Amino acid sequence: MKQTKIVLSEKEIPKQWYNIMADMPNLPKPPLHPGTQQPIGPDDLSAIFPMALIEQEVSQERWIDIPEEVLDIYSLWRPAPLYRAHRLEKALGTPAKIYYKYEGVSPAGSHKPNTSIPQAFYNKKAGINKIATETGAGQWGCSMALAGSLFGLDVTVYMVKVSYNQKPYRRIMMETWGSAVHPSPSLLTQTGKKALDDDPDNPGSLGLAISEAVEDAATHDDTNYALGSVLNHVCLHQTIIGLEAKKQMEIAGDYPDIVIGCCGGGSNLAGIGFPYVQDKIAGKDVRVIAVEPASCPTLTKGDFRYDFGDVAGLTPYMMMYTLGHNFIPPGIHAGGLRYHADSQLVCQLYHDGLIEAKAYHQLTVFEAALQFANTESIIPAPETAHAIKAAIDEALICKEEGKEKTILFNLSGHGYFDLQAYTDYKEGKLSDYEYPEEKIKEALSQLPIIK
Ligand SMILES: Cc1ncc(COP(=O)(O)O)c(C=O)c1O
């Protein structure tokens, strides 16, 4: 009988995360303090992060131990299964072998708890009892709420207002795990009040919600901030995905020619991809592809330069491919991919040619999601469907060229709270947004000048 699922036992959960900074040919340029334009130090971050995470942010140790307490919680759903997509392969008529790692088995439904759990652990250990964070479509907010419930932390989530109104079930999930959820912009922060003064109907954005959460943490001694992507320590925690996948691919007797992940802030791509980029740096022939929306084409159309990570300019300047921190991407359904920039690590690797990037419009992405749902059965999150589309395209190229390549992608989350998006697609209410060139030009023209 052919094997479909490759599962590891709990004993085989990796005990260390992989830190790509130990192997990168060029490290990212340092984050800068916006006032002095000098590299920031640990003290600049200690108002909102615990020291253990600040150390991970700058560490160049190749392997970092995963604490026992974190492994214990990971074992609730990890190791995550790896699937061979026999049915999709057959439907495509491709000689390619397609594998996917399924992160939708976490209680929150995506890869995000891989980092919310350690972030909650290190904060609790540092004596912090309150966390402020933001969420776009709700995946990260749910993951932080879950972690807060497991470690006894009070979590406040600033949820982008349009999602707060459109996605009540994600909000209810967070509240069920004991978190307080506020629509952003809110009246709880100066940033929120200003945004509402300027426009009482402001629908919110991820960059604005980040500003509110950072302000909350920076103005309350007992509160820290947690971010669900972008930062080095977040990418580090996600590498458990690729490390498990490597063991599973070995059991399957295969090694991928192509590794694919959708890319919002970059942590999902880092998770599945960085352990393979390590091999690529060592000389192995493997392609790692980041997939993004054509309406928010950070890597494929952004500028590589210093920018803020949020709208209000509360974060340090980071060296990233960016569309400009004031750029508000069109309201596509893949809310988790609507971020103006990307992880500094992903950006540097892209700049150095160690990863590739592709962008797709949303209609073709939903078509791929439906093909996947009707072959492999899992209904994917709209974000994840970007990776599926790229995997299908690569498999079709193999068909054309008669090549039997091995393709691995990360199925970063299920789409069971995104069914409105599927309804809208079925009813023909979704459209492709043109690449918003003028808006991006305008946002880029407002970027800080670094002397
Ligand atoms: C299901 C899913 N996949 C991927 C992403 C993108 O994540 P990242 O920021 O790690 O690139 C998100 C972000 O919210 C998500 O919800």
Side-chain angles (χ1 to χ4, degrees):
M1 204 180 110
K2 61 186 181 189
Q3 193 170 9
T4 299
K5 237 173 23 280
I6 297 126
V7 287
L8 300 172
S9 73
E10 279 179 27
K11 286 202 295 280
E12 292 169 287
I13 297 181
K15 304 293 184 290
Q16 293 176 312
W17 293 297
Y18 167 60
N19 181 8
I20 194 141
M21 281 199 276
D23 293 311
M24 288 172 79
N26 298 301
L27 287 173
K29 285 193 183 171
L32 303 179
H33 190 286
T36 62
Q37 300 203 350
Q38 293 302 308
I40 53 162
D43 289 349
D44 295 309
L45 298 173
S46 61
I48 58 170
F49 293 114
M51 202 42 79
L53 290 176
I54 296 172
E55 281 165 10
Q56 289 182 359
E57 194 60 22
V58 295
S59 169
Q60 289 177 33
E61 289 292 312
R62 183 169 290 110
W63 298 103
I64 295 184
D65 288 343
I66 306 177
E68 270 305 317
E69 294 87 338
V70 172
L71 286 170
D72 187 46
I73 293 177
Y74 276 174
S75 72
L76 285 171
W77 72 94
R78 304 211 72 86
L82 179 84
Y83 287 79
R84 170 87 185 265
H86 290 296
R87 291 163 182 80
L88 177 63
E89 287 170 19
K90 193 166 166 213
L92 296 171
T94 176
K97 294 189 240 176
I98 306 176
Y99 291 88
Y100 59 95
K101 178 83 171 152
Y102 186 36
E103 289 294 314
V105 291
S106 83
S110 78
H111 65 300
K112 300 271 173 182
N114 294 333
T115 182
S116 68
I117 300 298
Q119 290 195 47
F121 167 76
Y122 291 119
N123 272 292
K124 189 74 185 180
K125 210 170 156 207
I128 289 291
N129 290 314
K130 289 189 183 167
I131 294 285
T133 196
E134 71 290 324
T135 197
Q139 288 273 19
W140 169 244
C142 285
S143 303
M144 201 57 234
L146 165 74
S149 140
L150 286 162
F151 284 101
L153 290 165
D154 284 349
V155 176
T156 301
V157 184
Y158 293 88
M159 184 172 190
V160 175
K161 199 197 275 167
V162 334
S163 304
Y164 182 92
N165 293 328
Q166 278 173 357
K167 302 202 172 186
Y169 293 112
R170 279 273 168 206
R171 170 165 55 82
I172 293 164
M173 230 170 140
M174 291 182 250
E175 289 168 349
T176 303
W177 278 318
S179 291
V181 188
H182 305 290
S184 167
S186 75
L187 291 171
L188 299 173
T189 64
Q190 294 307 321
T191 309
K193 280 184 201 153
K194 181 173 178 313
L196 288 172
D197 273 352
D198 291 349
D199 174 10
D201 295 325
N202 189 320
S205 74
L206 200 53
L208 189 58
I210 293 177
S211 299
E212 286 208 89
V214 171
E215 184 186 322
D216 183 331
T219 53
H220 295 99
D221 282 347
D222 61 348
T223 306
N224 265 356
Y225 170 67
L227 185 62
S229 188
V230 180
L231 297 177
N232 301 349
H233 65 266
V234 181
C235 293
L236 172 81
H237 301 154
Q238 292 295 355
T239 58
I240 191 148
I241 303 171
L243 294 170
E244 277 181 13
K246 267 184 152 176
K247 290 189 185 189
Q248 289 161 310
M249 290 296 291
E250 218 174 291
I251 293 170
D254 268 324
Y255 186 90
D257 297 290
I258 304 168
V259 178
I260 299 171
C262 64
C263 189
S267 74
N268 169 62
L269 179 82
I272 190 75
F274 282 4
Y276 287 101
V277 176
Q278 180 188 23
D279 292 355
K280 191 175 171 80
I281 293 168
K284 194 109 182 160
D285 188 13
V286 50
R287 293 171 59 203
V288 178
I289 307 178
V291 193
E292 54 186 22
S295 57
C296 187
T298 320
L299 292 170
T300 48
K301 300 267 179 145
D303 275 6
F304 191 44
R305 57 192 285 187
Y306 275 109
D307 193 7
F308 289 114
D310 70 321
V311 166
L314 300 179
T315 68
Y317 292 142
M318 289 178 286
M319 188 70 187
M320 308 178 284
Y321 281 88
T322 177
L323 303 172
H325 61 277
N326 286 325
F327 171 64
I328 308 260
I332 52 164
H333 269 287
L337 304 187
R338 287 176 71 235
Y339 185 60
H340 67 274
D342 269 317
S343 136
Q344 302 170 94
L345 297 173
V346 168
C347 291
Q348 186 66 48
L349 291 166
Y350 178 66
H351 191 68
D352 289 340
L354 287 162
I355 58 178
E356 303 167 31
K358 269 188 168 180
Y360 289 108
H361 283 291
Q362 72 173 349
L363 288 181
T364 184
V365 162
F366 270 90
E367 199 184 316
L370 255 80
Q371 184 168 27
F372 188 81
N374 286 289
T375 49
E376 294 297 315
S377 302
I378 297 166
I379 300 177
E383 290 84 359
T384 307
H386 286 71
I388 297 175
K389 169 66 183 158
I392 290 176
D393 272 8
E394 291 295 337
L396 291 175
I397 293 172
C398 289
K399 181 177 173 178
E400 253 173 57
E401 296 179 348
K403 289 195 177 140
E404 195 196 287
K405 288 194 180 160
T406 300
I407 299 166
L408 166 68
F409 73 87
N410 194 33
L411 209 169
S412 53
H414 66 63
Y416 302 125
F417 293 95
D418 299 287
L419 296 178
Q420 187 59 47
Y422 282 87
T423 308
D424 289 352
Y425 175 70
K426 284 255 178 197
E427 292 178 354
K429 289 185 189 157
L430 292 192
S431 55
D432 284 341
Y433 292 93
E434 277 307 308
Y435 161 55
E437 193 167 359
E438 282 310 312
K439 283 193 170 161
I440 291 173
K441 249 193 210 155
E442 192 187 323
L444 285 173
S445 73
Q446 294 164 13
L447 285 198
I449 308 293
I450 305 297
K451 290 165 202 126

